[in-house]
Amino acid sequence: KSSTAGDATMRWLTKKDSDRASYATRNNINDVEAMSMTSDEFISEGINNAELAQASMDLDQSQMLLERSIWCFEQTDIIELAAKARIHYSSVLFRLEIQVPYDEKSSNDLAVIEMRAAQLMESLTKEGLFFEVLNIFSSVTAFLSEYAKEELQKRFIRKIRLAGREE
């Protein structure tokens, strides 16, 4: 059973100030797996899974790794990393969805694919996930009109590839 003094101590230990991190993190004592790792270990494991997902050519494997990455990030207080992993996960799911042969798509489907691709590319760019922008572009190239393909290539994709070579 908790006490007033114990609750006050926990609030003080887990409080973050603008100039420092908290002294302690809360653990769910009913979740044995979560208790076995610290917040830093969850972040490290989440980053490792996200990197493996990025390197994987198998989209199903990437999906599984990103699910694990999201779970790890959700165990910490750093929501930015979880958000970044969720956007990456959405992109992988989208690429899995559009693997149906091109001739089975109606013109309405093509417009929806183009719009979803544009929205995902914008979100991925905001998160700095340029490698996944290139993956989306490669996946949707067959669904884009010649004009859209050329404009994206000329105004956006080329710049991402050039920036990648400079790094």
Side-chain angles (χ1 to χ4, degrees), residues 87-156:
I87 292 294
H88 190 178
Y89 180 78
S90 296
S91 177
V92 169
L93 284 180
F94 176 69
R95 290 194 293 140
L96 277 166
E97 288 173 18
I98 63 173
Q99 288 184 335
V100 178
Y102 176 74
D103 57 3
E104 293 182 24
K105 300 287 183 189
S106 71
S107 60
N108 190 37
D109 290 339
L110 297 177
V112 170
I113 288 171
E114 190 171 329
M115 181 166 319
R116 283 188 60 206
Q119 291 168 340
L120 276 169
M121 289 170 84
E122 180 182 14
S123 297
L124 290 164
T125 300
K126 286 179 183 175
E127 292 293 339
L129 298 170
F130 301 114
F131 64 91
E132 191 60 25
V133 171
L134 296 175
N135 288 339
I136 288 276
F137 180 72
S138 296
S139 296
V140 299
T141 300
F143 303 104
L144 298 175
S145 67
E146 283 303 314
Y147 175 77
K149 195 181 323 178
E150 288 173 15
E151 288 298 310
L152 268 173
Q153 183 73 28
K154 180 171 52 175
R155 298 181 188 272
F156 187 61

Side-chain angles (χ1 to χ4, degrees), residues 25-126:
T25 58
R26 289 188 180 270
N27 282 334
N28 180 355
I29 60 171
N30 296 321
D31 188 352
V32 176
E33 186 177 352
M35 282 183 51
S36 66
M37 294 171 65
T38 66
S39 184
D40 289 341
E41 289 171 325
F42 276 119
I43 292 169
S44 177
E45 187 66 23
I47 290 171
N48 288 339
N49 284 315
E51 286 177 342
L52 288 171
Q54 179 181 339
S56 178
M57 299 307 266
D58 178 11
L59 292 177
D60 291 319
Q61 178 75 7
S62 291
Q63 179 183 0
M64 189 234 5
L65 289 165
L66 286 167
E67 286 171 354
R68 289 174 56 191
S69 180
I70 291 166
W71 182 83
C72 286
F73 292 142
E74 287 175 346
Q75 304 308 304
T76 70
D77 292 333
I78 303 175
I79 58 172
E80 296 85 9
L81 292 174
K84 189 175 280 213
R86 279 189 205 95
I87 292 294
H88 190 178
Y89 180 78
S90 296
S91 177
V92 169
L93 284 180
F94 176 69
R95 290 194 293 140
L96 277 166
E97 288 173 18
I98 63 173
Q99 288 184 335
V100 178
Y102 176 74
D103 57 3
E104 293 182 24
K105 300 287 183 189
S106 71
S107 60
N108 190 37
D109 290 339
L110 297 177
V112 170
I113 288 171
E114 190 171 329
M115 181 166 319
R116 283 188 60 206
Q119 291 168 340
L120 276 169
M121 289 170 84
E122 180 182 14
S123 297
L124 290 164
T125 300
K126 286 179 183 175

